[in-house]
Amino acid sequence: IELMAGVYTENQPDFSWLMPYEEKQFTQYFMPYRELGVVKQATKDFVFNIEEIKEVKEEREATKEVMSAVRFKVLATSKQTVRLTLSGPFRETLYEKVVTLSPEAVFEQVVDMKGIQFTDLYFTINPPDELPMTPLMEWMAELDEVRPIPDSAEAALPPVECKTVDQLYLTGLHLEQYRHATWSALDYYEEALRRDPNDVRCLNQMGLWYLRRGRFQKAEEYLRRAVKIWQRRNPNPYDGEPVFNLALALKFGMKEDEAYEWFWKASWNKAWADAAFFEAARISICNERYVDALDELERSLISNSHNHQARALKATVLRKLGRKDEALRWIAESYKIDPFNYVCMVEEHLLSGSEEPLQRMIQLMNGQVKNYHETALEYMAAGLNEEAQLVLQLALKPEVEASPLTYYYLACISNIDEAGLWLEKAAAADPACCFPNRLEDVKVLTIAIEMNSEDARAPYYLGCLYYAARQYDLAIENWELSAKRDPQFPTVWRNLALARFNKQGRQDEAVEYMERAFHLDEDDERVLMELDQLYKRLQRPHAQRLTFLQQYPELIQRRDDLVLEEITLLNQVGRYKEAMLKLDARTFHPWEGGEGKVSAQYQICRVELAKKMLAPHLTPDEKAAHKTIEAPSGAVGGASEAIRLLSECLEYPHHLGEGKLYGAQENDFYYLLGIAYEALGLNDKARECWEEATKGPQEPAAAMYYNDAKPDKIFYQGLALLKLGREGEAHGRFFKLINYGKQHIFEKQIMDYFAVSLPDLLIWEDSLDTKNLIHCKYMLALGYYGMGDTEHAERYLKEVEQLDNNHQGIQQFRTLINSGL
């Protein structure tokens, strides 16, 4: 923390404290800012909170006189001695003290306000020995005034509904800037270019979109069009961004000479001068034009003196020009701005011959291979292969994370004989945690594919990069090449299965590839989970899926979601007691996409067992077969057992891994509890439960997320109202279900603009329109059954079952009907 805040000892920072946490266990370097509470003021150096409190002075306990006081808390981001002052409206001092603050602990103080209003307080932090014109930090209470409420955010219009090209461009720009989770900026740019093929802004954004995804040739095509239009009337355009982006596309497309000219052209625009001169300098260094490179770096630093890459590269050029002392002085200055400039450390080592700068760099990099790669790529971008090799050789040490990319980088900057050896090592390296994501990786892996025709991993990695960039055609092409070169590699078959199903609609091949992936490595619990999800998506029979899963009990136990899927299948085949025992024997942990799923199965098995306890047509022996514990003395039939099971649904035990949401809908539980109490002759208690079952949201909605209003809860409200003799209100609930289903059944569904994620675990893509159709037909079935129209209800029930055999709501609805409750 001291290092990052710029506190140094003489000329060199002290790096001795930076070593692995497991060795030094320096927990004090994790700032305890959470102890402050709600922050009232903050700067880069201080974080401050102040709150009004009421306390009773010990010496006034007899009279219980209340003292008005405030508690303030301060945390510093670096160790420093300062003067803290709290004063009143006329700057009368209430508290003043010189203290030493640090990131290790929060400074806290309670101060008597002496009758002064909280809104009149003034707090400052100053140096210890002087009071400057401007404090280091100051706070005063904001006026309690009525302010206009900001306008609420509005969802963007779909592309076809945007009226102007400007609106399309700005919407696309917004989606990119905020990295929207579900809407694509590309749709807006393409619609804009359909209306106006010569819109420079959208041509530039299209080119940039493809450039960022490694499609250099497509990017070049768009950007050339943009620049050509931009230069029709002015050879030096007002905005240099399209010119700079074109130069980048040409650079990555191996057209460095032309790229160099365009970088210089982009530098005419002040906004792009820094980046353009820097990129031009890299190309000059590649061509060993060091004097030109130094000039270009100086120009870059005029525009941005804190360009750390340019500062490091200037040290390299000074070394190449033999200006050793000047280079060392420049490096020392650069450390003051960024003590983590790894390239400067390499340069310091090369200039001084000392190993200390390299050891410092190794210590700071903390064994993370990405730091070595970034440093090596800085050199590779300027054609400085020997320096890059030095860094990459350090990355091969045992204490550094192993990565196949290290070998690929070395292969690209070595001679032919050495390159072959590095490529062999790259192909044999463990691919488990290799995630190429840089544009440089596209070039490196493409070269590796061409140089080694037997390497199956390079096309696999490149395919992963392209798939993540949504360039599915290139991803599939590379994965197919990988599978051809090594048919025994399971992960590439798994990836191809995803592409076949989600992007090409070839379901049979997806199943074949997914099964091949699993059987090539039957110790992979994730692939087992994904294969079962594929079977589920294709609506394989529940008993068949359960039999398949239970062949691998050890794999199931490794993942909460696999355990939950086994429990779900047990519920779906009617083995509720087994499901309950398995669920109650495991402690689950929350996971993204798993919200509400464990608690749902916890409740389903209990509700279904309770229904059997309450079913009037079951014999006592049949009910006894479904009992989970012995009924207490004096219990009548299975009603007491049902009450126990249903009461458990109202409480979420700790092992579920999640608590009950505020306003959780529990209409079905209370409706059935009412029936149980009625069976015991406790009619008042039964009515009380039915009254509770009528509460909650009454308006049907599209149930996208687990906490949305569920149609079956509204259905149970209606059933409870019928029990209470309020038939008109009950029919109102049922009519709402029917009307919603009829009105929304044919609606085209799109993901909500403000959704930050998909509503469910979605490995294998599904249709939102189909989900809406199922949802609406389910509502129709519930509504018609409530109205006594069993013919229509049965029709829609069958249609939902044909569309989705995994719909547990339908299963629970049928058991309710069959139990006669």
Side-chain angles (χ1 to χ4, degrees):
I1 298 300
E2 288 182 354
L3 184 66
M4 288 185 282
V7 180
Y8 304 97
T9 58
E10 298 180 349
N11 294 327
Q12 294 293 338
D14 178 15
F15 294 89
S16 62
W17 56 273
L18 281 171
M19 61 176 58
Y21 296 132
E22 61 269 21
E23 294 180 18
K24 297 195 71 173
Q25 297 179 351
F26 270 176
T27 56
Q28 64 265 37
Y29 290 106
F30 296 94
M31 294 193 298
Y33 60 89
R34 285 178 294 184
E35 297 175 16
L36 269 83
V38 179
V39 174
K40 301 300 190 302
Q41 183 64 288
T43 68
K44 68 181 182 65
D45 299 309
F46 305 101
V47 187
F48 170 75
N49 182 28
I50 185 168
E51 294 174 344
E52 188 174 8
I53 58 173
K54 300 289 185 181
E55 292 186 345
V56 180
K57 281 190 172 182
E58 293 182 3
E59 61 270 23
R60 299 180 184 177
E61 284 185 355
T63 60
K64 299 297 182 183
E65 183 178 346
V66 178
M67 175 188 74
S68 178
V70 291
R71 175 183 287 111
F72 70 80
K73 301 178 182 180
V74 187
L75 179 71
T77 58
S78 62
K79 188 174 182 179
Q80 51 189 299
T81 301
V82 294
R83 181 184 300 274
L84 307 180
T85 305
L86 181 66
S87 57
F90 304 106
R91 299 300 182 260
E92 61 272 35
T93 301
L94 299 176
Y95 174 86
E96 186 173 32
K97 187 175 184 180
V98 174
V99 300
T100 298
L101 303 176
S102 80
E104 299 178 22
V106 173
F107 178 84
E108 181 177 337
Q109 185 68 43
V110 175
V111 180
D112 186 349
M113 291 197 296
K114 299 180 179 179
I116 295 174
Q117 295 293 318
F118 181 80
T119 53
D120 292 331
L121 296 177
Y122 178 64
F123 179 84
T124 60
I125 301 177
N126 290 292
D129 301 323
E130 56 180 317
L131 295 178
M133 293 294 293
T134 304
L136 301 175
M137 193 205 79
E138 63 179 339
W139 168 87
M140 61 186 68
E142 294 186 14
L143 296 176
D144 185 13
E145 58 185 17
V146 178
R147 298 181 181 180
I149 298 174
D151 294 335
S152 58
E154 295 181 0
L157 294 173
V160 294
E161 295 181 22
C162 292
K163 294 181 179 180
T164 65
V165 171
D166 284 350
Q167 190 177 3
L168 287 163
Y169 166 71
L170 292 172
T171 304
L173 208 61
H174 171 80
L175 295 176
E176 284 198 280
Q177 182 178 352
Y178 288 91
R179 299 183 182 183
H180 200 280
T182 53
W183 288 35
S184 173
L186 196 65
D187 298 334
Y188 290 85
Y189 300 142
E190 288 178 336
E191 174 63 19
L193 291 175
R194 187 189 65 79
R195 300 182 193 181
D196 181 1
N198 293 327
D199 187 281
V200 173
R201 300 165 305 171
C202 292
L203 286 171
N204 176 63
Q205 290 305 127
M206 287 287 290
L208 188 57
W209 195 90
Y210 281 112
L211 174 61
R212 288 169 173 164
R213 287 156 180 79
R215 302 295 291 259
F216 307 128
Q217 187 173 349
K218 292 191 73 169
E220 181 186 337
E221 293 171 3
Y222 282 104
L223 292 166
R224 279 196 188 278
R225 285 172 55 195
V227 171
K228 184 178 180 180
I229 296 167
W230 209 223
Q231 289 187 316
R232 279 179 183 172
R233 292 195 169 41
N234 191 343
N236 295 318
Y238 177 79
D239 184 1
E241 183 183 359
V243 181
F244 179 82
N245 290 339
L246 173 60
L248 272 185
L250 291 167
K251 171 192 165 184
F252 282 107
M254 309 292 190
K255 301 175 183 178
E256 287 85 357
D257 291 341
E258 187 181 0
Y260 182 79
E261 299 297 327
W262 285 113
F263 280 131
W264 264 91
K265 177 61 72 174
S267 70
W268 182 87
N269 181 253
K270 177 67 174 177
W272 295 94
D274 162 28
F277 280 126
F278 173 67
E279 291 293 344
R282 280 176 159 178
I283 296 175
S284 293
I285 295 171
C286 285
N287 296 322
E288 299 184 358
R289 299 196 314 271
Y290 300 122
V291 174
D292 290 344
L294 185 59
D295 173 62
E296 287 154 350
L297 288 168
E298 294 287 8
R299 291 169 182 263
S300 175
L301 291 166
I302 288 172
S303 297
N304 179 7
S305 64
H306 282 208
N307 183 334
H308 303 300
Q309 293 174 299
R311 297 186 72 90
L313 205 54
K314 180 181 175 180
T316 304
V317 172
L318 290 171
R319 174 173 59 84
K320 291 289 185 180
L321 292 172
R323 294 154 65 171
K324 176 181 175 181
D325 293 340
E326 185 180 350
L328 286 172
R329 287 196 300 272
W330 179 253
I331 289 171
E333 290 179 18
S334 298
Y335 283 148
K336 293 178 182 179
I337 302 171
D338 178 17
F340 289 84
N341 195 320
Y342 299 134
V343 174
C344 279
M345 294 174 198
V346 178
E347 288 301 317
E348 185 182 358
H349 159 72
L350 294 173
L351 286 160
S352 65
S354 170
E355 293 296 317
E356 188 275 333
L358 281 188
Q359 293 305 314
R360 188 194 325 148
M361 182 188 77
I362 291 169
Q363 193 173 29
L364 287 171
M365 286 185 172
N366 203 27
Q368 297 184 36
V369 74
K370 64 182 181 182
N371 293 325
Y372 292 89
H373 288 171
E374 292 289 351
T375 307
L377 286 170
E378 286 294 309
Y379 280 119
M380 291 168 65
L384 300 166
N385 293 342
E386 291 183 7
E387 292 85 344
Q389 285 178 330
L390 168 63
V391 176
L392 291 170
Q393 289 287 352
L394 294 173
L396 296 176
K397 291 188 174 183
E399 60 268 23
V400 181
E401 297 170 311
S403 171
L405 288 175
T406 306
Y407 302 118
Y408 283 120
Y409 294 151
L410 281 165
C412 285
I413 57 177
S414 302
N415 60 47
I416 294 177
D417 294 335
E418 290 179 344
L421 295 174
W422 290 125
L423 287 173
E424 288 180 10
K425 290 188 175 184
D430 183 3
C433 293
C434 182
F435 305 106
N437 56 79
R438 306 175 183 89
L439 294 182
E440 293 86 353
D441 295 341
V442 175
K443 294 172 61 177
V444 168
L445 292 171
T446 301
I447 293 170
I449 291 169
E450 295 172 356
M451 291 178 66
N452 185 0
S453 61
E454 296 181 0
D455 180 10
R457 298 298 181 266
Y460 161 71
Y461 298 134
L462 188 55
C464 292
L465 187 153
Y466 277 130
Y467 199 88
R470 300 183 181 181
Q471 304 305 297
Y472 304 118
D473 56 337
L474 292 183
I476 293 169
E477 179 183 318
N478 278 281
W479 284 338
E480 288 174 342
L481 177 60
S482 175
K484 182 179 179 181
R485 290 183 176 183
D486 182 7
Q488 300 304 307
F489 183 37
T491 309
V492 76
W493 291 111
R494 175 261 183 194
N495 290 4
L496 274 173
L498 282 169
R500 289 286 189 261
F501 191 97
N502 292 337
K503 305 306 170 189
Q504 295 180 314
R506 293 152 66 172
Q507 296 184 355
D508 292 341
E509 286 182 63
V511 174
E512 177 191 345
Y513 292 169
M514 203 66 201
E515 289 176 341
R516 184 181 302 182
F518 179 65
H519 293 304
L520 283 170
D521 180 10
E522 294 194 352
D523 194 45
D524 192 328
E525 64 273 14
R526 175 182 175 132
V527 175
L528 173 62
M529 180 271 292
E530 293 174 338
L531 177 57
D532 176 67
Q533 289 296 311
L534 179 56
Y535 290 154
K536 181 178 182 177
R537 173 70 178 78
L538 296 174
Q539 302 197 52
R540 294 282 177 91
H542 302 138
Q544 180 182 332
R545 284 178 53 213
L546 182 61
T547 301
F548 168 71
L549 265 186
Q550 290 186 330
Q551 295 178 55
Y552 307 96
E554 292 184 5
L555 298 188
I556 291 174
Q557 291 303 313
R558 295 178 192 173
R559 293 183 65 103
D560 278 355
D561 51 4
L562 273 176
V563 172
L564 181 62
E565 201 61 46
E566 182 187 15
I567 290 166
T568 302
L569 287 167
L570 287 168
N571 277 333
Q572 288 175 321
V573 298
R575 293 158 61 178
Y576 304 117
K577 286 176 67 173
E578 291 180 59
M580 187 167 70
L581 290 172
K582 281 185 178 291
L583 197 150
D584 291 352
R586 185 178 182 91
T587 299
F588 291 86
H589 305 85
W591 73 91
E592 188 79 22
E595 299 90 344
K597 289 182 170 57
V598 178
S599 55
Q601 300 308 315
Y602 169 84
Q603 292 166 338
I604 285 172
C605 58
R606 284 165 166 76
V607 168
E608 295 306 313
L609 287 169
K611 287 178 186 176
K612 292 182 180 297
M613 294 294 102
L614 297 172
H617 61 272
L618 291 183
T619 66
D621 290 341
E622 289 173 322
K623 291 183 180 182
H626 295 287
K627 291 180 68 173
T628 56
I629 62 170
E630 289 300 318
S633 176
V636 178
S640 295
E641 171 75 351
I643 290 170
R644 186 189 67 80
L645 289 166
L646 292 166
S647 298
E648 288 179 355
C649 294
L650 304 175
E651 301 292 335
Y652 285 32
H654 181 73
H655 70 85
L656 299 185
E658 62 178 309
K660 183 165 66 173
L661 289 177
Y662 174 78
Q665 297 168 268
E666 299 170 327
N667 310 81
D668 45 349
F669 312 141
Y670 280 109
Y671 170 76
L672 293 171
L673 276 169
I675 291 177
Y677 282 118
E678 184 182 44
L680 293 174
L682 302 174
N683 294 328
D684 290 343
K685 186 66 174 176
R687 290 185 64 84
E688 182 182 325
C689 289
W690 288 327
E691 286 287 354
E692 190 67 29
T694 66
K695 298 177 181 179
Q698 300 175 19
E699 297 299 326
M704 292 283 287
Y705 298 92
Y706 81 103
N707 56 343
D708 287 337
K710 303 293 190 296
D712 44 4
K713 304 295 184 178
I714 298 173
F715 170 72
Y716 277 103
Q717 291 179 21
L719 293 185
L721 288 165
L722 289 176
K723 285 288 187 180
L724 293 168
R726 292 148 61 180
E727 186 174 336
E729 292 181 63
H731 286 177
R733 300 291 202 280
F734 301 139
F735 272 127
K736 285 182 178 182
L737 293 171
I738 295 170
N739 290 337
Y740 184 96
K742 287 181 176 180
Q743 291 171 8
H744 297 275
I745 193 167
F746 298 116
E747 277 187 356
K748 177 72 177 175
Q749 300 296 305
I750 59 172
M751 183 59 63
D752 183 76
Y753 178 77
F754 295 108
V756 295
S757 64
L758 294 171
D760 203 353
L761 174 67
L762 199 61
I763 301 166
W764 311 101
E765 291 181 4
D766 203 351
S767 166
L768 291 177
D769 291 336
T770 302
K771 286 183 174 292
N772 177 66
L773 182 66
I774 292 168
H775 186 59
C776 289
K777 289 189 174 184
Y778 178 44
M779 286 197 187
L780 288 168
L782 293 173
Y784 279 121
Y785 184 84
M787 294 299 298
D789 188 344
T790 55
E791 181 180 349
H792 276 90
E794 186 62 32
R795 168 194 160 189
Y796 287 115
L797 279 177
K798 289 180 179 178
E799 289 180 4
V800 172
E801 288 170 331
Q802 290 174 355
L803 289 168
D804 183 10
N805 73 334
N806 296 297
H807 197 296
Q808 285 189 280
I810 291 294
Q811 178 190 0
Q812 291 183 280
F813 185 32
R814 285 212 176 276
T815 57
L816 180 74
I817 297 171
N818 295 336
S819 64
L821 300 175

